[in-house]
Amino acid sequence: MTKRAEAINAEKSVLGEGPLWLPESGRLVWVDIEGMKIRMWNPKTGEEESVSVGQRIGAVVRATDGRMVCALQNGFHFLDAETGELEPIADPEAHLPGNRFNDGKCDPAGRFWAGTMPIADGAPTGALYRLDGDGSAHKMAEEIGCSNGLGWSLDGSTMYYIDTSTRRIDKFDFDAGSGGISNRRTVAVIPADQGYPDGMTVDAEGKLWVAHWDGHAVSRFDPDTGECLERVELPVSRVTSCCFGGDDLDELYITSASVGLSEEQLRREPLAGSLFVYKPGVKGLPAAEFKVQGT
Ligand code: CA
């Protein structure tokens, strides 16, 4: 039997992104960037919920004080997911109204990394930021076209990073103590006929699962050799991100988008914007939380 990703019967997103498994409540949370909301879905009950945040939202993570932290068009905010109430933390690009925050993840020490991109296609005016537990934001990389896919090696010594516009999966040496990155180099380049690398997650064997925007697939890469180990085809072209979820973290949840597709493409891709699930036969790891100072 061919293994394939199955579409989940939940409301479609315009630009679904940033999936994250919430182990306590057994729910998947993800964002609809253009829909300006956080989506939640319970695989056991099929129950769906969404929280509007009133501006584009690139990523959401859990915080150690019980709230969530999100990277919005206008910077980092705490979010009360029950009420939708936002509390600003830092807006490092207040001077760049043409940019918005995109993908983000927490490192193993609980710092929140998220990067930006221009809202209209254009010059690489984006940057990658690190939000620390004291609420300070630090620019860690610049000249970014479309900041995406973050992940860390199992030993915490390497950070993986994708600037989609480069078609590359890159890696840095990562200093877990200081949160510093250095020695950027390339893991793999996605060939033009396989779309662009977008969101990414790391499995329990330390391998990378990368979504292919305009590439109809998620691929598994060996970050040491750059070899593509597995390719999962999807019936939609704009595959945006993935994460492991389920009680045993053995399900790969995959987000997608319909944004920017022509009428003709939308006819060919009736599932564009859907959430998908795939059983890869390897497990994931629990996502790190944002460590709020004093918690
Ligand atoms: Ca993305």
Side-chain angles (χ1 to χ4, degrees), residues 3-4 203 208-210 212 217-222 227-233 252 278-282:
K3 292 205 299 182
R4 51 191 289 256
D203 68 30
L208 314 181
W209 292 83
V210 177
H212 292 240
V218 169
S219 294
R220 185 182 192 226
F221 285 90
D222 183 323
E227 186 190 353
C228 180
L229 304 169
E230 183 178 347
R231 183 180 154 88
V232 184
E233 302 272 348
L252 189 70
Y278 175 70
K279 282 257 193 180
V282 59

Side-chain angles (χ1 to χ4, degrees), residues 123-138:
T125 56
L128 174 64
Y129 296 90
R130 189 191 79 206
L131 181 73
D132 292 352
D134 63 359
S136 61
H138 308 266

Side-chain angles (χ1 to χ4, degrees), residues 17 102-103 148 198-199 240:
E17 272 282 4
N102 198 43
D103 208 348
N148 263 308
D198 194 337
T240 55

